[in-house]
Amino acid sequence: MAKSKPFLEELKSKISVPDIPHDGFYVDPETWYLLVRNLTKNINTMLVGSTGCGKTELVMLACKKLGKECCVYDMGSMYDPISGLLGVHRLNEEGHSVFDYAKFTADIQKPCVIVLDEFSRAPIMSNNILFPCLDSRRELPVEIAGGRDMRRIKVHPDCVFVSTANVGSEYTGTNMLDRALVNRFFTIELHYMAEADEAAVLCQRTGVAGDAAFTIVMVANKIRNLYAKQELSETVSTRETLMASELVVDGYDIVKAVELVFLPLFEGTNTEGERSVVRKLFASF
């Protein structure tokens, strides 16, 4: 009997790595196949990395190529996890109180990928609600439901959770994630693209000239390096380099484009504070 191929080899023969010419996206092949492997095997995964490095877009692209439905929940803006994840009591037309289940309760009952976006910015209460969904119980308790409503909702066997998070003391506005919660995910770390790859993405997505793209990315990387050294409180994401590229395509001078997009991210004036530091970087054009 012929020996079966290793799972990773099977994946590589069926699904190709996204490339810049076709997908306008770059990801390290090792990272790509690790994520695809986890999604295929229904392994809960946490993507950690800097703001705007492509975590959410990567998951959505993987779902598209795998033919999986992707349901994204913005955890950072979920001020009331009970209504957002479980539901609320409402009065029906007869004036009786009925329990209106949240969309989340329906999504976890079908084969799909649930993306818990900006998980590190989620209210602490949401973590407590999600615990039983992520461990061996694979269920969502809805104790606030009344009467004969469902109190235990089972997670579909082919429903997998992917969270995105900025983990570390350098990220403001984030919550310290419970170690027990993090342990329920397979963690994959993402980084900003290499300079040449990011420049190529800018060219492909916006049509900006190559020399302008490299200049924009060069300045962005200088800012990122200062941020990594904690000399700046903010960084520049690929979203911002794309915005600057679009301005250049529309006829703006490169210096003006990066000033319009990058400078508003920083406090201070043109001569003082972080903004003055960033302005000095433009002199290296």
Side-chain angles (χ1 to χ4, degrees):
M1 186 173 65
K3 185 178 179 180
S4 60
K5 292 182 180 180
F7 186 72
L8 180 58
E9 191 174 333
E10 287 281 354
L11 277 183
K12 290 182 177 180
S13 66
K14 296 177 181 178
I15 302 174
S16 60
V17 182
D19 59 42
I20 296 171
H22 296 96
D23 303 292
F25 192 89
Y26 173 83
V27 58
D28 176 73
E30 184 175 275
T31 300
W32 170 254
Y33 282 115
L34 183 55
L35 174 61
V36 170
R37 173 254 184 193
N38 287 3
L39 294 181
T40 304
K41 291 196 166 188
N42 296 325
I43 298 172
N44 297 332
T45 302
M46 177 178 289
L47 300 180
V48 301
S50 301
T51 300
C53 68
K55 299 183 291 295
T56 307
E57 187 174 356
L58 175 61
V59 180
M60 296 176 70
L61 184 57
C63 289
K64 180 180 178 181
K65 288 185 176 287
L66 288 169
K68 290 180 174 285
E69 182 179 356
C70 183
C71 303
V72 181
Y73 286 84
D74 185 355
M75 302 303 293
S77 64
M78 189 173 289
Y79 298 109
D80 182 5
I82 292 178
S83 61
L85 298 175
L86 302 178
V88 294
H89 287 277
R90 302 186 189 278
L91 293 177
N92 63 14
E93 294 179 354
E94 289 75 35
H96 300 133
S97 177
V98 295
F99 190 72
D100 186 6
Y101 287 92
K103 178 177 180 293
F104 182 78
T105 64
D107 286 341
I108 65 173
Q109 295 182 72
K110 60 186 180 183
C112 68
V113 176
I114 303 287
V115 180
L116 305 171
D117 204 22
E118 299 287 350
F119 200 36
S120 50
R121 299 184 186 275
I124 299 299
M125 186 183 294
S126 63
N127 298 345
N128 298 330
I129 294 173
L130 291 167
F131 256 113
C133 292
L134 300 168
D135 61 22
S136 58
R137 288 172 286 180
R138 296 278 292 175
E139 67 177 20
L140 179 68
V142 191
E143 298 298 342
I144 62 172
R148 299 178 181 178
D149 293 324
M150 289 186 295
R151 299 292 185 90
R152 290 283 188 278
I153 298 176
K154 284 294 184 182
V155 178
H156 193 282
D158 291 324
C159 174
V160 60
F161 296 87
V162 176
S163 63
T164 70
N166 301 323
V167 179
S169 59
E170 68 271 28
Y171 298 110
T172 58
T174 62
N175 298 316
M176 183 67 69
L177 291 174
D178 189 307
R179 185 64 184 174
L181 184 66
V182 174
N183 285 343
R184 283 160 172 74
F185 293 93
F186 187 120
T187 302
I188 299 177
E189 188 172 8
L190 270 65
H191 304 279
Y192 286 119
M193 291 175 278
E195 188 172 279
D197 294 319
E198 185 169 358
V201 168
L202 300 186
C203 293
Q204 197 276 344
R205 289 200 180 189
T206 69
V208 69
D211 55 346
F214 270 102
T215 299
I216 292 169
V217 175
M218 176 192 69
V219 176
N221 280 338
K222 288 184 177 182
I223 294 173
R224 292 164 184 167
N225 290 336
L226 290 177
Y227 174 75
K229 296 175 182 177
Q230 298 187 351
E231 295 180 24
L232 290 174
S233 61
E234 297 290 340
T235 188
V236 172
S237 72
T238 305
R239 297 186 191 99
E240 278 84 48
T241 58
L242 283 166
M243 290 179 192
S245 298
E246 289 168 350
L247 287 178
V248 173
V249 171
D250 287 343
Y252 286 81
D253 174 79
I254 297 178
V255 176
K256 189 63 177 178
V258 295
E259 283 182 350
L260 289 171
V261 177
F262 295 176
L263 283 182
L265 301 174
F266 303 93
E267 295 182 353
T269 66
N270 291 338
T271 57
E272 294 181 349
E274 292 188 350
R275 183 170 294 202
S276 68
V277 174
V278 175
R279 280 186 63 86
K280 289 178 183 177
L281 297 178
F282 301 159
S284 62
F285 279 28

